[in-house]
């Protein structure tokens, strides 16, 4: 089989074909070369307009004096004219000279064409630095030439994966001769090395963008230095700190304003019966809040059945403080308030008639010290549960009737109405132990009712 090196060595004229492609660089491809010139000087733009109109001699006449004075765009355009032989006789030597002058001033397209002209003139060692830099910036013709050199290994180190990648980049840019060469490389380079070459393409594209940006920044002219300001500034002697400095006077703090005496409280007016009932309801609410807080800390227990008893109204002795209540009936939302209760109990205790639905006997005890409430029978436990505290005794009795119906175990217990000032507390006893009382409270609390274990 004919070696690929022989194919490449038989193609030194291929770069000459590549040089014919930039013929459009000064005509239809003039946007790559001429527009920068038009932006730099209107005279160069006039030459580009004449070139596009087909008047090549006029274009050369416009560019030549500008190129001689050092305009890089005019130098590049004049090199294109000599390379293509339009407006002047074809002369690659003249083209090389004008390309070199523009390349020294940072004209990237001039440097690209200079490398290709040198390579066509068989001055390949001199051309390869320009070819390499152009290929790094992504110039397709330079990538094709460098890829060929890397495959042969004669003008660059042999690197088949990179040679395949460079040829692929040139083919993707639309260079037809690179596409034909890529088909040859598909037959000559092993699959694993072609895959390695394809893996280089993303990073290679990024490097091309960086190289183009760096080259453009390097070729950009330096920013003009600002002219010196015509304003003259006087040079002052250095100051010595602390020599001519007088500290400011220390200001005395302003005296604090005298406090304004608070107005004397006005004597409270006597309360009406309705206000007294409202005060009793507020006291009842405060007592219920205290009992609810204490009841929340009690641990639940099982329900225990006990024996029945009669409702008793008990006034605590002066030395024994009354326990706070757990609940109270809210005042009516509409209608008149209930009448106020009498502040002093009757001197002689009188039995209160029991409600009609409840067949129980009510024993009312006087709050006098000489006639204390009857004590429980011997052997009974002092543990009770408190179900509520009320400002109206009838509300306590109504609660007991509802508890009897809801809990059969409560109906078998002894209820007590304990007086404490204007409050009446409903308690249920007598439990054998604290555990029995807690078990009863647990059953009541499950239905959302307040309950508190007390020791009478």
């Amino acid at each position: 089989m004919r070696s690929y090196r022989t194919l490449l060595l038989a193609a030194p004229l291929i770069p000459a074909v590549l040089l014919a492609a930039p013929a459009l660089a000064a005509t239809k491809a003039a946007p790559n070369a001429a527009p920068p010139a038009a932006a730099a000087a209107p005279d160069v733009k006039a030459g580009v307009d004449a070139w596009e109109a087909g008047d090549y001699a006029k274009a050369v006449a416009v560019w030549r004096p500008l190129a001689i004075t050092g305009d890089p765009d005019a130098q590049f355009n004049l090199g294109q004219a000599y390379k293509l032989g339009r407006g002047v006789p074809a002369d690659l030597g003249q083209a090389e000279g004008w390309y070199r002058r523009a390349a020294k001033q940072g004209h990237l397209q001039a440097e690209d064409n200079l490398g290709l002209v040198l390579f066509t003139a068989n001055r390949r060692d001199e051309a390869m630095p320009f070819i390499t830099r152009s290929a790094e910036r992504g110039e397709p013709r330079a990538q094709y030439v460098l890829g060929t050199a890397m495959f042969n290994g004669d003008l660059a180190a042999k690197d088949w994966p990179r040679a395949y990648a460079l040829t692929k980049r040139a083919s993707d840019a639309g260079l037809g001769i690179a596409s034909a060469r890529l088909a040859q490389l598909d037959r000559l380079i092993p699959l694993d090395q072609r895959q390695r070459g394809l893996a280089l393409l993303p990073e290679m594209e990024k490097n091309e963008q960086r190289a183009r940006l760096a080259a453009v920044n390097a070729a950009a002219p330096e920013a003009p230095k600002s002219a010196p300001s015509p304003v003259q500034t006087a040079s002052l002697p250095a100051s010595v700190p602390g020599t001519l400095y007088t500290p400011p006077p220390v200001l005395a703090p302003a005296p604090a304003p005298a406090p304004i005496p608070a107005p004397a409280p006005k004597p409270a007016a006597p309360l009406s019966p309705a206000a007294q009932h409202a005060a009793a309801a507020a006291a009842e609410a405060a007592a219920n809040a205290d009992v609810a807080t204490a009841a929340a800390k009690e641990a639940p227990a099982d329900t225990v059945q006990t024996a029945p008893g009669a409702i008793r109204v008990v006034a605590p002795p002066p030395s024994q403080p009354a326990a706070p209540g757990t609940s109270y009936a809210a005042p009516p939302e509409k209608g008149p308030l209930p009448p106020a209760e009498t502040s002093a109990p009757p001197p002689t205790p009188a039995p209160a008639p029991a409600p009609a639905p409840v067949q129980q006997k009510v024993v009312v005890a006087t709050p006098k010290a000489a006639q204390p409430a009857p004590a429980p029978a011997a052997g009974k436990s002092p543990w009770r549960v408190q179900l509520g505290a009320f400002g109206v005794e009838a509300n306590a009795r109504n609660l007991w009737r509802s508890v009897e119906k809801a809990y059969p175990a409560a109906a078998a217990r002894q209820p007590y109405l304990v007086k404490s000032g204007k409050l009446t507390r409903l308690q249920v006893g007598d439990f054998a132990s604290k555990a029995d009382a807690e078990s009863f409270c647990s059953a009541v609390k499950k239905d959302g009712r307040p309950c508190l274990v007390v020791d009478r």
Side-chain angles (χ1 to χ4, degrees), residues 223-232:
K225 297 182 180 180
S226 58
S229 174
V231 178
Q232 298 294 329

Side-chain angles (χ1 to χ4, degrees), residues 18-38:
L18 296 180
L19 287 177
L24 300 179
T27 56
K28 289 193 177 294
N32 294 332

Side-chain angles (χ1 to χ4, degrees), residues 112 141 423 451:
D112 296 339
R141 298 167 296 167
L423 297 179
C451 184

Side-chain angles (χ1 to χ4, degrees), residues 243-283:
T243 56
L244 300 176
Y245 172 73
T246 302
V250 178
L251 300 178
I260 301 175
K266 297 181 179 180
L271 299 178
S272 63
Q276 292 178 2
H277 268 281

Side-chain angles (χ1 to χ4, degrees), residues 17-384:
V17 178
L18 296 180
L19 287 177
L24 300 179
T27 56
K28 289 193 177 294
N32 294 332
D43 291 339
V44 176
K45 176 62 169 61
V48 173
D49 294 339
W51 182 280
E52 291 179 346
D55 193 349
Y56 304 118
K58 179 180 178 180
V60 170
V62 171
W63 292 333
R64 187 179 299 278
L66 297 174
I68 293 174
T69 57
D71 189 298
D73 293 318
Q75 291 171 345
F76 169 75
N77 292 345
L78 193 58
Q80 293 285 78
Y82 274 108
K83 183 189 68 175
L84 301 174
R86 295 180 182 179
V88 290
D91 189 340
L92 290 182
Q94 286 284 347
E96 175 193 340
W98 289 114
Y99 286 149
R100 192 181 296 275
R101 291 183 184 183
K104 287 182 178 180
Q105 299 189 68
H107 200 290
L108 301 182
Q109 291 172 302
E111 185 175 278
D112 296 339
N113 282 7
L114 176 60
L116 295 173
V117 167
L118 293 174
F119 194 90
T120 304
N122 207 22
R123 295 155 60 186
R124 298 184 176 182
D125 291 335
E126 184 181 356
M128 286 311 295
F130 297 102
I131 295 291
T132 302
R133 287 196 296 270
S134 297
E136 289 175 352
R137 294 193 298 268
E139 212 290 323
R141 298 167 296 167
Q143 288 178 330
Y144 169 79
V145 174
L146 183 59
T148 302
M150 285 188 171
F151 180 85
N152 284 330
D154 51 359
L155 298 173
K158 181 178 290 189
D159 189 342
W160 283 8
R162 186 166 293 275
Y164 188 84
L166 288 169
T167 308
K168 181 70 167 62
R169 289 289 295 160
S171 175
D172 291 345
L175 191 62
I177 195 171
S179 301
R181 182 55 50 84
L182 188 66
Q184 293 177 334
L185 296 182
D186 286 335
R187 297 192 302 269
L188 297 173
I189 297 179
L191 176 61
D192 61 329
Q193 297 195 42
R194 280 182 281 151
Q195 291 176 341
R196 287 166 53 192
L198 293 176
L200 296 175
L201 292 178
E203 187 63 26
M204 184 178 294
E205 184 177 357
K206 293 180 182 179
N207 292 337
E208 291 171 6
Q209 296 175 356
R210 297 190 190 102
R212 282 196 298 270
L213 182 60
V216 170
N217 291 338
E222 296 183 0
K225 297 182 180 180
S226 58
S229 174
V231 178
Q232 298 294 329
T233 58
S235 58
L236 299 177
S239 60
V240 180
T243 56
L244 300 176
Y245 172 73
T246 302
V250 178
L251 300 178
I260 301 175
K266 297 181 179 180
L271 299 178
S272 63
Q276 292 178 2
H277 268 281
E284 183 177 343
N288 279 308
D290 295 339
V291 173
T293 303
K297 300 179 181 179
E298 296 291 333
D302 297 332
T303 305
V304 180
Q305 304 292 336
T306 56
I311 298 179
R312 296 184 181 183
V313 180
V314 182
S319 60
Q320 179 181 358
T326 59
S327 66
Y328 71 97
E333 296 181 359
K334 296 182 180 180
L337 294 174
E341 296 180 356
T342 57
S343 58
T348 305
V358 182
Q359 300 299 327
Q360 288 182 333
K361 183 178 180 181
V362 178
V363 181
V364 180
T366 62
K368 292 183 178 181
Q371 299 179 1
K380 290 187 177 181
S381 171
W383 295 107
R384 298 178 183 175

Side-chain angles (χ1 to χ4, degrees), residues 368-398:
K368 292 183 178 181
Q371 299 179 1
K380 290 187 177 181
S381 171
W383 295 107
R384 298 178 183 175
V385 297
Q386 183 170 303
L387 302 179
F390 305 89
V392 180
E393 181 179 328
N395 292 338
R397 293 180 183 275
N398 293 337

